[in-house]
Amino acid sequence: MNISDINLNLAGEQPEDVDEVADDRSHDSGASQADDDSQRSLSTMDSREETPIHSNNPAQYSWGTTPMDTGASSNNAQREVYTIGQNSYGELGHGDTAERHLPSLVQFSLGKDIVQVAAGNEFTAMLTAAGEVFCCGYNDSGQCGLGGTQRVPNLTKAEGIDHKKVTFIHTANGSEHLLLVTDDGELYSCGYNSKGQLGHGAAGAAYAPRLVEALYGHRVTRVACSYYHSVVATDLDQLFTFGRNDFGQLGLGDRDDRAAPTEVEALGGGGRACSALACGQYHTVVALEGGGAFGFGKNDYGQIGMEGHDARLRPAMLSSPLNSALIIHLAAGYYHTAALVASEHGTGGRVYTFGRNDYGQLGHGHRENAHRPALVQGIADQAVVQVACGCYHTVTLTAEGRVFPFGRNNHGQLGTGSTADAPRPAYVEALGGGGGGGGAAAAEAKPVAMVAAGFYHTVLLAGPPLDADRGGRRAPAATLASDLRRMLNNPARSDVTFLLQGRAVHAHRVIIMARCEPLALMLDGPMREAQQDQIVIPDHRYEVFLAFLEWVYTDDVRGLLGEGPLGGGGG
């Protein structure tokens, strides 16, 4: 038998390559952004009057950075979304631009089975139990995922990802990009991309969700992002970072930007998975299962939780007590950080904050910056289950569904009915939170199940509690096919390499021999290829052979549709 006798021709012709949606337009203000409050995020320096920014979802999936199963339930249909704060671009989802100082019901959310909310730089995203994503608000970089840059005054379904079930969405403190994780652990991204924060290998915005091909074959379990960089954890205890890195916020030991995911080897492996992630404007914090947390990047306000003002280019342990505490959730504003430490009594935990505090965003009753983590005393008696950070405000959620915000309130984003800052935890009374006082915004008191904090706005998902897994404790359930897909064209544990058109395809003899008789005869028979570690496949296209192996490994072919790892791992 000759190798060329093996017929690898797949039925039908290969579709034309899917055009990459990219944006080469430059942002209005150049490459860097000052720390000054009055300066706006780079892509929003047009006619706007203020300088919003934000860090919403906590670094855990149920609350902000971990994928999970969002199977529909009758309880989900009872959930409602309420929004508060700035509304310059319709980010509150009401079809207008009037800001709200009290929680206001988003009519669109009724009956939609909303299971997650996320908030970024003047835009909002919602995820349904069916895996659909709806966005509204500012969209000049395509962060709403609609295929263009038109403003989005009403919640509208994201395009180009109907073939997948999205199980988690994330955007944070002023981010103008959106991360989406699917039920099989794949990562998609869209929006602003001046520093490679989308992970696509090059700069240029993506106006619709696009697969991060460099992570194809990995199962993404947690994600976090800020305006210029993103962080991803996988089920193999690997941590990848990409985007801007001028202060070492990627944790790679240098200051070079990365446009593609790069592993942070200092925190990878070792059998300790990541339990929480968060990104600020120029810093990153990571907690590990079993206890302890690390920070890297800028530390001028103490936002990475250690003494001194010098940036850390590599992961460094946070100060006590977070150097050994069991952290179940992390969130970050532009220059401040919040950590939720597990309670010894099982339910919820206590909140520690550190970093910049000029608006009281640390919740300590004063406005002094803090370089060491300090307990937020005003809610120390509450069982907190989630924390979210906006630009300069923080929102905490208790096990009873009560919301306690603190910090900046210039657009009413704290939901207290005024615009006065709150240096101590306040209480959002308008929703009642499982027993507190009703309010004009809610016909019936409801507990809150999730919070998100955006630029200068806040989003509340009210109704029955979410499944425990939504808290970020577990990645999406793996299947045999999804696990084998991770091994496709993966050099790890590969024992045979096929060469096509000068490019390598990494494979595993035992899988091929169990699934393909012609290749089994070649690899385990009298042919010379049985003794070779590298086998040349002539007269076949790299993409076609890789798609063929994808079918061998998974009983599915996505590669020829532009969804697979074409170009990944080889060459």
Side-chain angles (χ1 to χ4, degrees), residues 54-66 116-120 125 168-173 178-179 223-225 277-279 329-333 386-390 450-454 459:
H54 126 102
S55 152
N56 89 320
N57 290 340
Q60 297 244 330
Y61 248 64
S62 132
W63 310 115
T65 58
T66 309
Q116 192 198 348
V117 291
F168 183 74
I169 55 175
H170 182 75
T171 185
N173 58 25
L178 180 67
L179 303 179
V223 298
C225 66
L277 296 171
C279 297
H329 194 78
L330 287 168
Q386 189 202 351
V387 60
C389 294
M450 177 179 288
V451 297
V459 184

Side-chain angles (χ1 to χ4, degrees), residues 512-533:
I512 292 174
M513 291 165 58
R515 295 275 293 159
C516 179
E517 182 179 358
L519 287 178
L521 293 174
M522 180 189 71
L523 295 174
D524 192 33
M527 299 177 61
R528 66 177 180 273
E529 285 83 2
Q531 308 302 317
Q532 297 175 341
D533 294 329

Side-chain angles (χ1 to χ4, degrees), residues 91-126:
E91 58 264 39
L92 297 189
H94 302 299
D96 58 40
T97 56
E99 64 181 41
R100 269 74 167 176
H101 298 169
L102 288 171
S104 182
L105 174 65
V106 178
Q107 294 291 335
F108 176 88
S109 68
L110 299 178
K112 289 294 193 299
D113 289 3
I114 304 296
V115 294
Q116 192 198 348
V117 291
N121 182 13
E122 296 166 315
F123 82 104
T124 298
M126 301 182 189

Side-chain angles (χ1 to χ4, degrees), residues 26-43:
S26 59
H27 282 247
D28 297 343
S29 74
S32 64
Q33 179 186 34
D35 295 346
D36 189 346
D37 292 351
S38 63
Q39 186 170 6
R40 305 192 52 84
S41 48
L42 286 185
S43 67

